[in-house]
């Protein structure tokens, strides 16, 4: 819990504080109250304007700040190019070096780049499509490198992940071509959510995913002890290396739509930020977001207590149990946060916001270029792949 709290034993113990325990709400006493946090957060919150991607532009300023004085020099790019794929924008066309660690991820990022490239100034940039960012502030490297997820210790410049578009990772049995096509998934999940009113959702905390980070263990352990409160189980990892050393069977995957039937959905970091955050917010369920270290470009506009409930990465199984019980007893508050989380993603994380972010990022980036980018022999021009699409 963000607020460390203690659990006061109810006088008349109902068996294990199960949901079916009559009037259990009256008998529980919490030594913490989340209402003040919510009130303060709401008071401090300024909603984003309708202007496309305006909610996220502060990231761009912050990520490019390191180059404000020096600009981006050819020497920097020469040092950075080993950390990703070098792209060039020349006369409104996009060119790239043939090497890419994950070609399908590069192709999916190119979908956005090709959308915005016309009219952009000439530039070159290094795109990292590995999960892990490349420029730790203690590494002595200057960058620039574009990465999809960073912490405050990284100097990488954030870009919208490849998974916003179509056929690239993570691949699951459920989604063999990747979880992408955000434009379609948005509408799908929103339709699922509208068929599932809050009262129809199970008052259970839910999580499905691989053991890509041990921060997930507390919840899975709690699920083993309190299956009526939590259903959190590990699935096989996409790279098939996942083990469950918690003596738990790996279970089949659950589609995002299946998550929407539960009131409380947990989001944990994986290797870096997990793609599930934006999806589960669209369920109109309450998202419990664990840790605040790993960011994606849109996290900056999502506010704790306004759009989700923040949970410490160090929360124990007992902490999580208390929190879920508290939320059960404060059902209206939980529903309101869930609705605001949904509203935010639905209104401010459209496909055109993602495109807008790319455009703004590259426009600001190009202003820092101190030299003229030139075509090099091995580079080839990227061409659009035509697919039916929706821009909302
Ligand atoms: N996922 C899913 N259903 C599952 C397991 C995973 O939809 O049963 C999604 C999950 O939400 C995430 C992606 O698949 O977006 C990869 O999940 P995993 O836990 O393997 O890795 P993460 O990226 O979260 O570390």
């Amino acid at each position: 819990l963000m607020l460390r709290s203690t659990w006061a034993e109810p006088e008349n113990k109902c068996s294990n504080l199960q949901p079916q325990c009559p009037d259990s709400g009256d008998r529980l006493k919490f030594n913490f109250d989340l209402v003040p946090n919510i009130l303060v957060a709401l008071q401090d919150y300024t909603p984003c304007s309708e202007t496309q991607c305006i909610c996220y532009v502060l990231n761009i300023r912050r990520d490019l700040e390191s180059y404000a004085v020096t600009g981006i020099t050819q020497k920097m790019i020469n040092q950075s190019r080993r950390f990703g794929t070098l792209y060039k924008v020349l006369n409104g066309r996009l060119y790239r070096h043939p090497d890419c660690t994950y070609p399908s991820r590069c192709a999916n990022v190119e979908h956005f780049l090709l959308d915005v490239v016309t009219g952009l100034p000439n530039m070159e940039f290094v795109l990292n499509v590995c999960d892990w960012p490349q420029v730790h502030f203690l590494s002595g490297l200057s960058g620039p490198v574009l990465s999809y997820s960073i912490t405050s210790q990284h100097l990488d410049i954030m870009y919208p992940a490849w998974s916003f578009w179509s056929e690239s990772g993570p691949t699951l049995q459920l989604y063999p071509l990747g979880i992408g096509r955000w434009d379609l998934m948005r509408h799908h999940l929103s339709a699922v959510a509208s068929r599932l009113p809050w009262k129809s959702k199970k008052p259970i905390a839910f999580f499905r995913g691989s053991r890509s980070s041990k921060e997930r263990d507390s919840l899975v352990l709690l699920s083993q002890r309190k299956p009526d409160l939590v259903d959190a189980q590990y699935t096989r990892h996409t790279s098939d290396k996942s083990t469950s050393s918690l003596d738990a069977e790996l279970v089949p995957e659950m589609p995002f739509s299946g998550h929407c039937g539960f009131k409380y959905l947990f989001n944990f970091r994986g290797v870096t930020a997990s793609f599930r955050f934006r999806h589960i917010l669209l369920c109109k369920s309450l998202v419990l977001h664990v840790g605040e270290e790993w960011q994606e470009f849109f996290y900056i506009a999502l506010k704790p207590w306004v759009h989700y409930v923040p949970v410490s990465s160090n929360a124990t199984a007992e902490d999580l149990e208390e929190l879920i019980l508290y939320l059960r007893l404060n059902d209206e508050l939980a529903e309101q946060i869930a609705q605001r989380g949904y509203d935010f993603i639905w209104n401010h994380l459209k496909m055109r916001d993602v495109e807008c972010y790319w455009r703004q990022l590259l426009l600001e980036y190009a202003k820092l270029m101190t030299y003229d980018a030139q075509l090099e022999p091995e580079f080839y021009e990227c061409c659009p792949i035509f697919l039916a699409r929706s821009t909302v």
Side-chain angles (χ1 to χ4, degrees), residues 52-225:
Q52 274 174 31
C53 76
I54 195 86
C55 321
Y56 317 118
V57 289
L58 274 180
N59 278 329
I60 298 179
R61 246 172 264 159
R62 186 202 55 202
D63 290 355
L64 295 179
E65 209 179 328
S66 320
Y67 309 98
V69 176
T70 56
I72 293 167
T73 65
Q74 181 124 48
K75 192 172 163 211
M76 288 174 182
I77 293 290
N78 288 344
Q79 281 175 355
S80 292
R81 57 195 292 171
R82 68 195 155 105
F83 296 113
T85 302
L86 186 58
Y87 282 84
K88 293 172 187 275
V89 174
L90 299 170
N91 303 320
R93 289 162 173 250
L94 182 70
Y95 300 86
R96 64 168 266 208
H97 190 275
D99 291 346
C100 172
T101 318
Y102 297 104
S104 60
R105 294 184 183 182
C106 278
N108 291 152
V109 173
E110 285 159 25
H111 165 83
F112 291 103
L113 295 176
L114 287 165
D115 257 344
V116 303
V117 73
T118 315
L120 285 181
N122 288 0
M123 72 187 95
E124 52 187 14
F125 56 88
V126 176
L127 183 91
N128 163 37
V129 289
C130 296
D131 291 344
W132 202 258
Q134 304 291 328
V135 194
H136 193 276
F137 83 110
L138 293 176
S139 65
L141 297 165
S142 65
V145 176
L146 273 59
S147 297
Y148 95 91
S149 176
I150 64 172
T151 71
S152 58
Q153 309 221 309
H154 293 95
L155 300 175
D156 302 56
I157 299 164
M158 268 191 295
Y159 71 83
W162 53 88
S163 68
F164 277 95
W165 182 255
S166 204
E167 300 169 349
S168 63
T171 50
L172 309 178
Q173 278 173 346
L174 267 175
Y175 304 113
L177 298 178
I179 60 165
R181 286 299 303 254
W182 178 237
D183 53 345
L184 303 181
M185 191 58 102
R186 267 171 53 81
H187 286 277
H188 169 59
L189 288 177
S190 176
V192 171
S194 67
R195 290 196 296 270
L196 289 169
W198 179 257
K199 289 197 173 13
S200 74
K201 293 175 190 258
K202 291 187 196 147
I204 287 181
F206 184 81
F207 175 81
R208 279 294 178 283
S210 61
R211 198 169 180 232
S212 55
S213 114
K214 290 194 177 128
E215 284 181 16
R216 303 169 174 197
D217 285 359
S218 308
L219 190 72
V220 174
L221 286 168
L222 180 59
S223 171
Q224 291 168 0
R225 289 206 328 252

Side-chain angles (χ1 to χ4, degrees), residues 170 172 175 179 208-210 212 216 235 253-254 256 259 270-271 274-276:
L172 309 178
Y175 304 113
I179 60 165
R208 279 294 178 283
S210 61
S212 55
R216 303 169 174 197
T235 56
E253 294 156 0
M254 171 74 93
F256 284 120
H259 291 54
V271 177
S274 171
F275 295 139
R276 67 167 55 65

Side-chain angles (χ1 to χ4, degrees), residues 232-288:
Q233 303 189 68
Y234 283 131
T235 56
R236 190 164 301 286
H237 192 256
T238 47
S239 66
D240 232 2
K241 289 186 206 128
S242 176
T243 55
S244 174
S245 62
L246 293 180
D247 290 333
E249 290 287 314
L250 297 178
V251 298
E253 294 156 0
M254 171 74 93
F256 284 120
S257 54
H259 291 54
C260 299
F262 298 86
K263 276 192 178 170
Y264 318 109
L265 299 177
F266 269 81
N267 183 51
F268 296 92
R269 63 165 286 192
V271 177
T272 53
S274 171
F275 295 139
R276 67 167 55 65
F277 198 17
R278 62 186 143 101
H279 292 89
I280 58 179
L281 280 161
L282 276 184
C283 276
K284 276 190 208 164
S285 298
L286 178 67
V287 173
L288 290 92

